[in-house]
Amino acid sequence: MIYLFGYFMKYVLDTHAHTIASGHFTTDTVTDLARAAKERALLLFCVTDHSPSIPGSANENYFRSLKYCERERMGVQILYGAEVDVMENGKLGLSDDLIDEMQIVIVSQHPPCFKPKSAEENTAALISAIRRARADIVGHPDDEKYPLLPKDLVCACAQTGTAIEMNNASLTPGGYRGDAANRDRELLRLCRKFDVFVSLGSDSHGGHQIGDFTYAQKLIEEENFPQELILNTSVQKFLSHLQSHGRRL
């Protein structure tokens, strides 16, 4: 429960979390994440493991099996999807047929899959991937390594109904994405102007981080960002957002 702008705001879900399947020294299972989510009074969290394009991540068979996984553990609802990489030459890090099976799709840029280029090239590649994947969320578009044209990105998200992520891992002091706060401030102001949803993602690589929005929340408070544009305040609002993209929930 977070006090904000004269009323209490409760974030009930986390849109971005990784399991052992993502590699990156993450050892927690879905059950571990569910246990941590329950302890933090979350109603829902999303398993969004890295697409096979990331070295050390799971192969496509893992993503193909997600539809058979339990949709609730320890009283917490779970959605299964992927953090899909933008690749060179307009490709994506997960096949189109599997993207269609996912309950949630986050599209992101990572150096092993897409080398940073000019602001124009980075933005064009990201927008193309958003449209091709019918992305629900743009993951950490605040990475200093990737210059962007923020207004072009937000306007594209307004057209496609895609949310912009406020990534708590990016905003954590000393994080490896550099000075994310300044770009996130600009993105928040543009999202408010163009009525684009924002999602708060812990980008948890272990249960100890799930549901932790400490730094993202601080930025949202400082920018006086409207709660009606934050997806994490309502399970129904979030599910409606996903259903608008044709996700099978």
Side-chain angles (χ1 to χ4, degrees), residues 224-241:
N224 196 29
F225 193 77
Q227 68 164 341
E228 60 267 22
L229 289 178
I230 302 173
L231 290 174
N232 306 67
T233 59
S234 164
V235 170
Q236 187 53 54
K237 178 163 58 175
F238 180 57
L239 296 181
S240 295
H241 173 71

Side-chain angles (χ1 to χ4, degrees), residues 136-183:
D136 305 299
I137 298 169
V138 181
H140 50 75
D142 50 18
D143 191 332
E144 219 175 29
K145 295 185 289 295
Y146 290 96
L148 281 180
L149 303 176
K151 185 176 180 181
D152 289 8
L153 175 62
V154 172
C155 285
C157 288
Q159 293 170 359
T160 58
T162 305
I164 294 282
E165 180 180 72
M166 292 292 112
N167 186 294
N168 198 69
S170 294
L171 291 163
T172 300
Y176 60 91
R177 295 190 183 116
D179 183 12
N182 282 335
R183 185 180 296 173

